[in-house]
Each structure stands twice: as C-alpha cells, then as structure tokens.
Amino acid sequence: MQFSLVSGDAAPVSGELLVIPLFEGELVGDAAPAPLATADSALDGKLRAAATQEGFKAKVDQSFLLHTLGRLGNERVLLLGLGNRARFQPEVLRLAAGRAAKTAQRLKVTSIAFRVPATDRAEDVVRAVVEGLELGVYRFDKYKSAAREDKGSPKLKSATLALPPGSEKSRALDDALNLGLKVAEAVNWARDLVNEPPNVVTPVRLAQAAQQAAKEAGLQAEIGGRKEIERLNMGMFLGVTVGSAQEPRLIHLVYTPKNAKDAKRAPLALVGKAITFDSGGLSLKPTEGMVEMKTDMAGSAAVLAAMKVIGGVVKPPFPVHAFIGACENMPSGTAYKPGDILTARSGKTVEITNTDAEGRLVLGDMLTWAGEHEPSAIIDLATLTGACMVALGNYIVGAFGDDDATVNSVLDAAKSAGEEMWRLPISDMQKDALRSDVADMKNSGERWGGAINAALFLKEFVGDIPWVHLDIAGPSNSPKERGYLNKGATGSGARTLVELVRRRAADVATQPEPKAEPVKAAKRAKAKTAR
Ligand code: BES
Ligand code: MN
Ligand code: ZN
C-alpha cells in the first residue's frame, strides 16, 4: 500500500473514504476537532446528527459510516471510536485503523484519507495508523478460486494521512511512517508463511524464505541439512526429525553492523520454533487439534520477519543472530518413540515420555547453539504449549525468564509495540515434573503447570545467559477478525522483537564504548556472586 503524509490544515484530503477517528465526547458540542467540524458543515450538520441518532459515542470498537452524496470531496465518511482520551494507547488507534482498512476493502474503495488525531505522541500515532491500515488490508485468499478470478477487483491501494491541524511534516514523522510500513509488511510476510498449508511451507521452503529475507535485508544466511545437524550433535533435533520424510533445515541468519567496533559487540540471539507440521508424532494428536498445527512454525516466522526489519531499517549497533531448527513432527516406522533416550548437543540425556512435546527438544539444541555465540541475551518465540493458551487465552503471550531486567525490557517493548504479554513464573517447585528415572530429565511432565514445565525444560539449555521465552501458542492465531487481525495467522511477536532491538540500540548509543567480551565478564561476575 502507498502512504503519504500531508500537513495539518483543514484543507480537504483526497481519497474515496474519509476516516475521522474521535475520542469520546468529541462528537457533540464544541469539542469537535476541526476535521469533523469541517466535514459536518459541508453536510449541513447532518453527519453529527446522524451519528448521534445511530448511537455512535466514539467508544472503542464503535464506528459510523455515511455516504456523502457528493457533498464532500470524499464519497463516504467513516467515524471511528477511540474511547476515553485519558486511557489512549497507540494500539487503540492501530486496531481502529485496521477496522477502517477492512471497511474500505468491503466497500471496494481503493484510496482513503485518514485524519490523524491530535495527541502528544505524533510519531507513535502515525506509526500506529500505518501499521493498522497495512495489517488490516491483509488477506490470505490465494487458494480460493473465486478470489483468483476476482484478481482485477479493487483493493485498497493508497492512504493519505492528514496530520492534526497545526502540525507540520517532519523527518521524524517520515521515519515513523516508513518504519511502520516496513514492520507491517514484514508481519504480513510472516502471516503468509504461517497461513500457507504445511504441504507448501516445508522445512526446505522455510529455509528458502529465510534466504530470501536475508538477501533483501543484507543479512548473512547459513543453511544446513541433516549432515550439519548430525555434525553439531543435535541429538534432540535429530530425534524429532527422523520420523518425517521432509528434509530438516538448520537456519542461521546474521545481521552485522557496518562499523567494525559495533560488529565486535556481543550479539542479541533470537530463536524461533519451526515445526512446519506437528502431528504429535507417535503420541498422535486428535484430529481437531491437528488441523491447526501448520501454525507450529509461527515463532520462526516472527523471528524472520523481525530480522527483515532489523537488517533493512533498524540497523542496530550490535549484531543480531537468528537460530532456527526447522522440521516436521511425524509418526512413522522411523519416528522417535516414547521411551527413547536422546542426547542433546549440550550432553544432557532426555527420556522421551511424549513425542508431542517436540518443540522443547528442537529448541533446547537451538538454545545451546545460540549460547555458544556468547550473546548478550537470548529471546525465543515458540508456539510451545496448549497449557499457555488455557492460562492466557488467544491474545496474550506468556513471558518466562529469571533475569528480571531482561524480562521487563521485553515486556516494556511489547507494551510499546501494542502486543499484550504477561509474565509467568519459572518455579523450581515444578522441577520434579521433569525428573526421569533413567535419564537426566524427561521431555514431558505432568499436566499441571504445563507451560511452566516447558519453560523449565528450555532453561536447562540456557545456562547463565539472560534469556526470555515467549510462548505464543495462543496469539499466533486469531480465532476471529479483530481490529487489524484476520482469522488465522497474526505474526505475533515480530513487532515486539523490532521494538526491543530499537530500544537496545538506543541504550548502546548512550554508552558507545563496547566492553571486551561482555558476556564472559558478566558470566564471571555472576559465578562469583553465586559462590
Ligand atoms: N505445538 C504444540 C502446542 C500448541 C498447542 C501450539 C495449541 C498451538 C496451539 C506443542 O508441540 C504441543 O503439542 N504441546 C503439548 C505438550 C504436552 C505434550 C506436554 C501440549 O500443549 O499439549
Ligand atoms: Mn507437539
Ligand atoms: Zn509443537
């Protein structure tokens, strides 16, 4: 979609659909913002009258659509509710802009004019509008014959964002617009990867997508096959992949800053779960649960999407690595079995008690591998447990980790990106759940505290590195259309990762000298205090 920014005067803005977001109380009396007052007087005061009559009060989720019958440069006007101004967050506007985009699509409108509301956060608000619109126009209909025949049909193509009265265009606002567009495009790209069926997005195809992303964003890409996985002694990853006829792929993307000094800083490591289909293996899933399991690579899609923006736009002054182990989890004559004992890359042995707890096995080896690159922190994204969905539902990510500062920095980034996350504990009280009689641990414990048990398992492969585990089993898929979300893949987590990297980049900028081997130093300090 094409976006342009125009300065904030009351002049008409071209676009078939004029969108005016409003806070509660702004519809009536003198509180009306200038763009609403202008549109209303062109319609002889009938816009506000009709909206009032229809019960529109600018509450969150409310909207009101009116045809202007040629009285305005825009064919239709859409009022969007933003709710209480005191409770405003850019996410409210992102969701509202998403609804506007969906309305425009239904009306077969190709251009819209969007009146950016006046707030004290112009950059965040412009970015939220751009993201909401671009995410909102997303559709996944390439396998519908009707949609294919309909190819020539209009799709929302351009949006003109009119700044609030009195505010001028600026470099900062252009940057905010561009970042929002790049983030939303990357999220839509991730959504495509997740929505594509599992016979299309195989581990090999996922690796190709990673390679393409790397090429676009100037990243280095190393892709390995079964041989490489064997060479690296990733016994848990191998265990999961042996039942599948699809070749596994080991994916390593690296962003390196141009400045040689920056390139020497400790990297940030991102790890994403990439089970392109999770049948459960021999511990087979029931049919109802299985049909959604193409989603089981959503963590890696979000990591790849974030890498696109990190390399292409954010370009932080420290390296960022992505580690992804892609494979299927299938039942077959060669599949791993309950009772098998696997040896992890770290040397730990794991008794398999449930082949459906496969994600933690692949991720465990990925975390070990990531840790060997001495990162400043590791963030993993995984559709890991149904238990986390039971706890937090379809829209909230579960966040785990022992390092308060790092966990809080992720939660803060999520808040600012408009993704809801909630910290859950990793308590040693649950540790008995993973105790095995025959090996160092078992891969699946008792049912209670299932999301915590999975996080505890991962923790065994992290060591002392600051680490945050994000369980996105719920939010990776939306059960219905909501705001800028469609039913289906959401791209959950990508926006938070981008925001986190931006924040860490800003932190580095205030303390420019890279310390020698910061992780080793931190490890030594931690070891000292532990003794
Ligand atoms: N991929 C699933 C988790 C999942 C469930 C993702 C629902 C998205 C939606 C994971 O591999 C799994 O099967 N987890 C098991 C763990 C259990 C066997 C310990 C689960 O949650 O039931
Ligand atoms: Mn599973
Ligand atoms: Zn899984």
Side-chain angles (χ1 to χ4, degrees):
M1 209 173 148
Q2 205 80 46
F3 288 91
S4 57
L5 211 55
V6 298
S7 281
D9 50 38
V13 189
S14 69
E16 292 159 59
L17 177 69
L18 172 65
V19 183
I20 308 177
L22 296 170
F23 290 104
E24 270 173 54
E26 287 186 342
L27 185 69
V28 288
D30 299 334
L36 174 66
T38 309
D40 193 43
S41 56
L43 291 159
D44 299 335
K46 297 210 166 78
L47 173 58
R48 288 158 85 181
T52 306
Q53 202 175 2
E54 296 296 315
F56 178 83
K57 294 193 175 73
K59 290 196 186 310
V60 169
D61 281 356
Q62 274 191 319
S63 56
F64 176 72
L65 179 71
L66 190 73
H67 204 286
T68 60
L69 305 172
R71 309 280 292 273
L72 217 65
N74 320 90
E75 230 170 53
R76 294 185 178 91
V77 55
L78 174 69
L79 306 182
L80 289 176
L82 298 178
N84 189 322
R85 185 183 272 277
R87 281 200 288 273
F88 177 72
Q89 291 290 330
E91 176 67 0
V92 173
L93 190 57
R94 195 180 283 107
L95 289 164
R99 283 187 282 131
K102 293 197 190 304
T103 303
Q105 296 266 50
R106 272 192 276 275
L107 297 169
K108 297 203 188 301
V109 157
T110 59
S111 63
I112 67 172
F114 200 106
R115 290 288 185 176
V116 177
T119 66
D120 51 9
R121 306 167 67 173
E123 287 154 43
D124 292 345
V125 156
V126 163
R127 192 177 152 195
V129 171
V130 172
E131 289 180 359
L133 291 174
E134 182 70 22
L135 292 171
V137 295
Y138 176 82
R139 288 192 287 208
F140 187 77
D141 53 13
K142 66 190 268 201
Y143 294 101
K144 295 233 184 216
S145 328
R148 255 181 278 153
E149 283 153 22
D150 212 31
K151 247 194 183 136
S153 87
K155 188 178 174 191
L156 187 54
K157 284 194 191 75
S158 71
T160 306
L161 274 48
L163 293 168
S167 52
E168 291 302 314
K169 291 203 286 178
S170 68
R171 172 78 193 272
L173 290 173
D174 281 341
D175 287 349
L177 187 157
N178 183 50
L179 178 64
L181 181 57
K182 289 288 156 36
V183 166
E185 283 173 348
V187 170
N188 285 344
W189 179 82
R191 287 168 160 186
D192 269 347
L193 277 176
V194 177
N195 280 329
E196 283 285 355
N199 58 334
V200 171
V201 174
T202 58
V204 169
R205 291 285 282 272
L206 189 66
Q208 284 166 355
Q211 243 160 347
Q212 174 219 331
K215 206 166 161 199
E216 279 173 32
L219 313 171
Q220 188 189 323
E222 286 165 28
I223 311 291
R226 194 179 300 271
K227 280 230 173 70
E228 189 66 10
I229 304 166
E230 279 166 6
R231 196 181 66 76
L232 291 170
N233 294 319
M234 295 174 164
M236 296 195 294
F237 184 8
L238 279 169
V240 176
T241 191
V242 288
S244 164
Q246 296 289 340
E247 278 297 306
R249 283 291 179 268
L250 193 61
I251 303 168
H252 182 196
L253 298 193
V254 184
Y255 157 79
T256 311
K258 288 243 153 60
N259 180 313
K261 260 191 179 165
D262 290 340
K264 287 206 187 83
R265 283 181 217 268
L268 176 69
L270 308 177
V271 173
K273 178 171 173 180
I275 302 296
T276 61
F277 184 69
D278 180 12
S279 70
L282 288 171
S283 312
L284 200 64
K285 284 183 186 297
T287 309
E288 316 87 73
M290 206 191 289
V291 67
E292 283 149 37
M293 283 305 132
K294 65 174 183 179
T295 297
D296 220 15
M297 36 61 71
S300 67
V303 164
L304 291 175
M307 288 302 284
K308 272 185 134 183
V309 184
I310 290 164
V313 191
V314 182
K315 300 186 169 102
F318 52 83
V320 184
H321 290 230
F323 301 93
I324 294 166
C327 70
E328 287 184 333
N329 183 25
M330 296 293 277
S332 77
T334 57
Y336 77 139
K337 304 169 285 294
D340 280 0
I341 295 178
L342 305 178
T343 305
R345 171 162 176 75
S346 72
K348 284 205 168 77
T349 57
V350 180
E351 178 194 6
I352 302 305
T353 50
N354 189 328
T355 64
D356 199 11
E358 84 297 337
R360 61 195 75 182
L361 297 171
V362 180
L363 287 170
D365 278 339
M366 291 305 116
L367 290 169
T368 301
W369 191 36
E372 288 159 12
H373 294 76
E374 307 204 327
S376 56
I378 307 179
I379 317 293
D380 81 70
L381 265 79
T383 46
L384 205 60
T385 65
C388 199
M389 280 180 85
V390 172
L392 297 176
N394 269 303
Y395 301 106
I396 305 170
V397 176
F400 299 82
D402 283 340
D403 190 273
D404 291 347
T406 311
V407 173
N408 287 332
S409 72
V410 171
L411 294 176
D412 288 346
K415 195 164 226 169
S416 136
E419 295 192 299
E420 205 160 325
M421 299 197 180
W422 195 258
R423 187 175 185 178
L424 294 171
I426 306 190
S427 170
D428 280 345
M429 271 190 289
Q430 283 290 127
K431 233 180 161 169
D432 280 347
L434 297 175
R435 204 148 281 162
S436 163
D437 295 334
V438 290
D440 295 337
M441 54 208 273
K442 56 184 181 184
N443 77 324
S444 158
E446 58 174 39
R447 180 165 167 235
W448 313 119
I452 298 175
N453 298 343
L456 265 173
F457 184 94
L458 295 182
K459 187 181 151 185
E460 291 295 316
F461 300 92
V462 173
D464 289 334
I465 302 164
W467 157 72
V468 181
H469 158 55
L470 299 175
D471 193 329
I472 59 167
S476 62
N477 246 294
S478 179
K480 57 167 202 246
E481 184 179 305
R482 185 177 77 92
Y484 52 79
L485 296 180
N486 282 13
K487 187 167 191 273
T490 61
S492 172
R495 272 156 43 203
T496 296
L497 291 181
V498 170
E499 202 54 33
L500 181 73
V501 168
R502 289 182 74 222
R503 285 160 173 248
R504 290 176 83 94
D507 286 351
V508 170
T510 59
Q511 31 170 287
E513 269 313 295
K515 287 179 223 126
E517 301 177 81
V519 170
K520 275 188 184 158
K523 259 189 190 167
R524 254 178 262 127
K526 203 161 180 185
K528 250 184 218 161
T529 51
R531 259 172 233 137

Coordinates of all heavy atoms in Angstrom, one line a residue, residues 360 430-436 439-446 452-458 460:
R360 N 10.2 -28.3 22.5 CA 11.3 -28.0 23.5 C 12.6 -28.8 23.2 O 13.7 -28.4 23.6 CB 10.8 -28.4 24.9 CG 10.4 -29.8 25.1 CD 9.5 -30.1 26.3 NE 8.2 -29.6 26.2 CZ 7.2 -29.7 27.1 NH1 7.5 -30.3 28.3 NH2 6.0 -29.3 26.9
Q430 N 8.3 -26.7 40.4 CA 7.7 -27.6 39.4 C 8.8 -28.6 38.9 O 8.4 -29.4 38.0 CB 7.3 -26.8 38.2 CG 5.9 -26.1 38.4 CD 4.8 -27.0 38.4 OE1 4.0 -27.0 39.4 NE2 4.7 -27.9 37.4
K431 N 10.0 -28.5 39.4 CA 11.1 -29.2 38.7 C 10.9 -30.8 38.8 O 11.4 -31.4 37.8 CB 12.4 -28.8 39.4 CG 13.4 -28.4 38.3 CD 14.7 -28.0 38.9 CE 15.8 -28.0 37.8 NZ 17.0 -27.4 38.3
D432 N 10.2 -31.2 39.8 CA 10.0 -32.7 39.9 C 9.3 -33.2 38.7 O 9.4 -34.4 38.3 CB 9.2 -33.0 41.1 CG 10.0 -33.0 42.4 OD1 11.3 -33.0 42.2 OD2 9.5 -33.0 43.5
A433 N 8.5 -32.3 38.0 CA 7.7 -32.7 36.9 C 8.6 -33.3 35.8 O 8.1 -34.1 35.0 CB 6.9 -31.5 36.4
L434 N 9.9 -32.9 35.7 CA 10.7 -33.3 34.6 C 11.8 -34.3 35.1 O 12.7 -34.7 34.3 CB 11.4 -32.1 34.0 CG 10.5 -31.1 33.3 CD1 11.3 -29.9 32.9 CD2 9.7 -31.7 32.2
R435 N 11.7 -34.9 36.3 CA 12.6 -35.8 36.8 C 12.4 -37.2 36.1 O 11.3 -37.7 36.1 CB 12.5 -36.0 38.3 CG 13.8 -36.5 39.0 CD 13.9 -35.9 40.4 NE 14.4 -34.5 40.3 CZ 14.3 -33.6 41.3 NH1 13.7 -34.0 42.4 NH2 14.8 -32.4 41.2
S436 N 13.5 -37.8 35.6 CA 13.4 -39.1 35.0 C 14.1 -40.1 35.8 O 15.1 -39.8 36.5 CB 14.0 -39.0 33.6 OG 14.3 -40.3 33.1
A439 N 17.1 -41.1 32.8 CA 18.0 -40.1 32.1 C 18.1 -38.9 32.9 O 17.5 -38.8 34.0 CB 17.4 -39.8 30.7
D440 N 18.8 -37.8 32.4 CA 18.9 -36.6 33.2 C 17.6 -35.9 33.4 O 17.3 -35.2 34.4 CB 19.9 -35.6 32.5 CG 21.3 -36.2 32.4 OD1 21.6 -37.0 33.3 OD2 22.1 -35.8 31.5
M441 N 16.7 -36.0 32.4 CA 15.4 -35.5 32.5 C 14.4 -36.1 31.5 O 14.9 -36.8 30.7 CB 15.4 -33.9 32.3 CG 16.1 -33.5 31.0 SD 16.8 -31.9 31.1 CE 15.5 -30.9 30.6
K442 N 13.2 -35.9 31.7 CA 12.2 -36.3 30.7 C 11.6 -35.1 30.0 O 11.7 -34.0 30.5 CB 11.1 -37.2 31.3 CG 10.3 -36.7 32.4 CD 9.4 -37.7 33.0 CE 8.5 -37.2 34.1 NZ 7.7 -38.2 34.7
N443 N 11.1 -35.4 28.8 CA 10.7 -34.2 28.0 C 9.3 -33.7 28.3 O 8.9 -32.6 28.0 CB 10.8 -34.5 26.5 CG 9.7 -35.4 25.9 OD1 9.2 -36.3 26.6 ND2 9.3 -35.1 24.7
S444 N 8.5 -34.5 29.0 CA 7.1 -34.1 29.3 C 6.8 -34.5 30.7 O 6.9 -35.7 31.1 CB 6.2 -34.6 28.3 OG 4.9 -34.6 28.8
G445 N 6.3 -33.6 31.5 CA 6.0 -33.9 32.9 C 4.5 -34.1 33.1 O 3.8 -34.5 32.1
E446 N 4.0 -33.8 34.2 CA 2.6 -33.9 34.5 C 1.9 -32.7 33.8 O 2.5 -31.8 33.3 CB 2.3 -33.9 36.0 CG 2.8 -32.7 36.7 CD 2.4 -32.6 38.1 OE1 2.4 -33.7 38.8 OE2 2.1 -31.5 38.6
I452 N 4.8 -23.9 32.4 CA 6.0 -23.7 33.2 C 7.0 -24.8 33.0 O 8.2 -24.6 32.9 CB 5.5 -23.6 34.7 CG1 4.6 -22.4 34.9 CG2 6.8 -23.5 35.6 CD1 4.0 -22.3 36.3
N453 N 6.4 -26.0 33.0 CA 7.3 -27.2 32.8 C 8.1 -27.1 31.5 O 9.3 -27.4 31.5 CB 6.5 -28.5 32.8 CG 5.7 -28.7 34.1 OD1 6.1 -28.1 35.1 ND2 4.7 -29.6 34.1
A454 N 7.4 -26.6 30.5 CA 8.1 -26.5 29.2 C 9.2 -25.4 29.3 O 10.3 -25.6 28.8 CB 7.1 -26.1 28.1
A455 N 8.9 -24.3 30.0 CA 9.9 -23.3 30.2 C 11.1 -23.8 31.0 O 12.3 -23.5 30.7 CB 9.3 -22.0 30.8
L456 N 10.8 -24.6 32.0 CA 11.8 -25.2 32.9 C 12.7 -26.1 32.1 O 14.0 -26.1 32.3 CB 11.2 -26.0 34.0 CG 10.9 -25.4 35.3 CD1 10.1 -26.3 36.2 CD2 12.3 -25.0 36.0
F457 N 12.1 -26.8 31.1 CA 12.9 -27.7 30.3 C 13.9 -26.9 29.4 O 15.1 -27.2 29.4 CB 12.0 -28.5 29.4 CG 12.7 -29.5 28.5 CD1 12.9 -30.8 28.9 CD2 13.3 -29.2 27.3 CE1 13.5 -31.8 28.1 CE2 14.0 -30.1 26.5 CZ 14.1 -31.4 26.9
L458 N 13.4 -25.8 28.8 CA 14.3 -24.9 28.0 C 15.4 -24.3 28.8 O 16.5 -24.3 28.4 CB 13.4 -23.8 27.4 CG 12.3 -24.2 26.4 CD1 11.6 -23.0 25.8 CD2 12.9 -25.0 25.2
E460 N 17.1 -25.5 31.1 CA 18.2 -26.4 31.2 C 19.3 -26.2 30.2 O 20.4 -26.6 30.3 CB 17.8 -27.8 31.2 CG 16.9 -28.2 32.4 CD 17.7 -28.2 33.7 OE1 18.9 -28.7 33.7 OE2 17.2 -27.7 34.7

